[in-house]
Structure formats: structure tokens, C-alpha cells
């Protein structure tokens, strides 16, 4: 899980400044719109929408914004027609990068993503060039106050793939197909998660020991993350805490 958590941990440590909040809200709003459009406005019968609502609330999206996004998605005359796309490429040091985007203009988004890779010494590749290096997974996260033994027994009984401990948290891994079943099954057992999300976990990680390369990788990923059309970014690098502290300093 270290390859998965490195970039996620870095992102969570970075405080969201006010100028970024509009971008963050827009990402969650788009997911709410698309989820409602595809599965209806009732979260009880639309697991993707329910998950999107929980994530939006955790990110601080106001309830009024959430309601408007759902109504917009469920409405037959919704103006925005977002398309879900995947971009793949290489960051400096041979690091594989997978980008999930939601856009109403694929030419604009592709051009922007390509320019970011070029600027930071990476390369945007063809579809499928690195995606095979990542396993699609569901990850359900709990704080370490829960009873691990009970959580383990319940998760395994629901056919979860694995349970790991990382950064004072327990993470239950599932297949994409079994994600909803495990989330709802653990809830029935009384376990309340911190986060429940679909993600991509790298099969292997690339160790980055050069500070300049590490800086380029982080700048590239940050730039991609800031783009309005980008929903998620995954990468298979591992940078030592020592180098990260130098860059943060």
C-alpha cells in the first residue's frame, strides 16, 4: 500500500488554501452531477452518489451546493455533459501516472495535460501504456480506535482482499465489484469508516533518490491535480521522508 498512500498522504498534508477551494468544490460537484445523472438522485439506491455525497461533505462542500449538483445531474435538461476519461503517461524518473478526468471538452483537457507533462520533463502516453501497472481496488479506511480483530473477521467474512495498518489507520481492500457489498456489510456490523473510495494501487513502486527528480515529480502531479477537469491522480513513486522534508522546507 505504500505506493498508493505516498501521494495520497502528501496531498492530505497540504493545507487547502482559499484560492484552491473553488477547484476542490468543483471536482466534487462534477462527481455528484455525473453520479446523479447515471444512477438517479436517491443515494439509497445509488451507491456511487452516496459515496460522492460523503466525500463532498468530508471536503467541506456546503449542503446547498451538494443539493444543487444532485438536482442538476438528475434533471433531464442538465446543461453540462461531462465525459469521463483516462490519461496515462510517465513523470520524471520513469514514474507511471494515471489521471482520471471529467470534462466537457476533451481536446482542451488533453492539450492541458500534455503541456504539464512536457513542462516538467515527463511524457503523456497512449491509453493503456501504464494503466496495467495499477490494480483497481476499493479502499475503506478506519481509524485505529476500532477493534482490529473484529474488523478483520467481519471484513474477511465479506470476502475483502486484505486489511493493512498504515499511518494509524486500518485499510480494508476490496475488488471494485465487491466494494459496495463490503462497505454496507461493515456498516451493518457497526463499523463507521473515515473514507471509502475506489482507487488504483500500483503493483510496484519506483524509488526516487534524486532530489531534483523528486521535485519535478511533485510539481507535475500538483499541477495536474489543480486542473479543473482532473478528478484523481495516481502514481507509483516512493520518495524518502528525508527528501520530502527538504522539499517542503
Amino acid at each position: 500500500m505504500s505506493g498508493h498512500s505516498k501521494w495520497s498522504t502528501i496531498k492530505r498534508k497540504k493545507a487547502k488554501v482559499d484560492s484552491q477551494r473553488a477547484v476542490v468544490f468543483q471536482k466534487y460537484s462534477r462527481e455528484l452531477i455525473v453520479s446523479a445523472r447515471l444512477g438517479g438522485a436517491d443515494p439509497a439506491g445509488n451507491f456511487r452518489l452516496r459515496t460522492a455525497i460523503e466525500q463532498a461533505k468530508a471536503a467541506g462542500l456546503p449542503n446547498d451546493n451538494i443539493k444543487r449538483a444532485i438536482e442538476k445531474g438528475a434533471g433531464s435538461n442538465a446543461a453540462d455533459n461531462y465525459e469521463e476519461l483516462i490519461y496515462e503517461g510517465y513523470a520524471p524518473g520513469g514514474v507511471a501516472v494515471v489521471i482520471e478526468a471529467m470534462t466537457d471538452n476533451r481536446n482542451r483537457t488533453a492539450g492541458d495535460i500534455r503541456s504539464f507533462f512536457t513542462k516538467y520533463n515527463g511524457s503523456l502516453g497512449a491509453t493503456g501504456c501504464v494503466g496495467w501497472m495499477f490494480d483497481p481496488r476499493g479502499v475503506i479506511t478506519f481509524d485505529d480506535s476500532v477493534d482490529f480483530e473484529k474488523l478483520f473477521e467481519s471484513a474477511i467474512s465479506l470476502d475483502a482482499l486484505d486489511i493493512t495498518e498504515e499511518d494509524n489507520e486500518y485499510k480494508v481492500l476490496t475488488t471494485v465489484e465487491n466494494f459496495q457489498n463490503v462497505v454496507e456489510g461493515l456498516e451493518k456490523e457497526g463499523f463507521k469508516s473515515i473514507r471509502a473510495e475506489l482507487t488504483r494501487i500500483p503493483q510496484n513502486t519506483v524509488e526516487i533518490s534524486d532530489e531534483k527528480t523528486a521535485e519535478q515529480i511533485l510539481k507535475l502531479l500538483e499541477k495536474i491535480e489543480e486542473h479543473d477537469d482532473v478528478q484523481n491522480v495516481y502514481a507509483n513513486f516512493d520518495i524518502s521522508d528525508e527528501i520530502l522534508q527538504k522539499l517542503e522546507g
Side-chain angles (χ1 to χ4, degrees):
M1 285 288 290
S2 62
H4 161 70
S5 67
K6 181 64 74 171
W7 177 235
S8 298
T9 301
I10 291 171
K11 287 192 293 182
R12 290 190 180 112
K13 284 183 178 178
K14 290 181 178 295
K16 293 292 184 182
V17 297
D18 290 342
S19 62
Q20 293 175 307
R21 187 166 296 277
V23 175
V24 174
F25 282 2
Q26 185 172 25
K27 293 178 189 294
Y28 287 106
S29 293
R30 288 190 183 191
E31 174 60 23
L32 290 164
I33 290 170
V34 172
S35 298
R37 179 174 296 153
L38 294 176
D42 182 7
N46 183 345
F47 183 73
R48 176 172 173 174
L49 177 61
R50 183 191 133 187
T51 302
I53 292 172
E54 291 175 354
Q55 292 175 341
K57 287 182 175 179
L61 191 66
N63 287 334
D64 286 347
N65 294 52
I66 292 174
K67 182 180 179 180
R68 281 197 299 270
I70 294 172
E71 290 175 347
K72 187 174 185 178
S76 58
N77 296 320
D80 298 318
N81 186 21
Y82 293 119
E83 183 179 9
E84 295 180 281
L85 299 171
I86 303 293
Y87 298 97
E88 303 175 31
Y90 286 96
V95 170
V97 180
V98 175
I99 302 159
E100 294 175 347
M102 200 174 287
T103 179
D104 56 0
N105 186 332
R106 61 161 58 202
N107 291 332
R108 177 197 65 218
T109 306
D112 290 346
I113 298 298
R114 183 176 290 105
S115 71
F116 297 154
F117 275 98
T118 300
K119 181 176 180 180
Y120 294 103
N121 199 30
S123 60
L124 181 64
T127 301
C129 67
V130 300
W132 58 272
M133 301 181 189
F134 297 79
D135 294 322
R137 290 287 181 262
V139 179
I140 312 160
T141 304
F142 302 85
D143 65 42
D144 59 4
S145 65
V146 306
D147 187 314
F148 179 81
E149 294 300 327
K150 290 182 179 179
L151 176 63
F152 182 88
E153 291 176 4
S154 297
I156 294 303
S157 71
L158 291 165
D159 295 325
L161 295 176
D162 194 11
I163 304 177
T164 64
E165 183 177 1
E166 195 173 286
D167 297 330
N168 299 317
E169 295 177 338
Y170 300 134
K171 297 181 185 293
V172 177
L173 273 65
T174 77
T175 62
V176 172
E177 295 76 14
N178 197 30
F179 176 59
Q180 179 176 352
N181 178 60
V182 177
V183 170
E184 295 178 342
L186 290 176
E187 285 179 349
K188 289 179 182 178
E189 293 291 328
F191 296 102
K192 177 61 178 175
S193 65
I194 301 172
R195 292 182 302 277
E197 58 189 345
L198 291 174
T199 187
R200 298 171 188 265
I201 299 176
Q203 298 168 3
N204 297 289
T205 56
V206 178
E207 297 286 339
I208 303 298
S209 56
D210 177 68
E211 190 174 326
K212 182 178 179 181
T213 301
E215 184 176 21
Q216 286 184 320
I217 293 169
L218 294 180
K219 284 184 176 179
L220 170 61
L221 297 182
E222 287 171 3
K223 193 69 176 176
I224 294 171
E225 279 275 0
E226 290 171 1
H227 195 281
D228 289 352
D229 298 338
V230 172
Q231 297 296 108
N232 295 295
V233 182
Y234 308 100
N236 70 339
F237 69 89
D238 197 3
I239 299 173
S240 70
D241 291 338
E242 181 182 358
I243 292 179
L244 286 175
Q245 288 172 2
K246 287 182 179 179
L247 294 176
E248 289 173 357

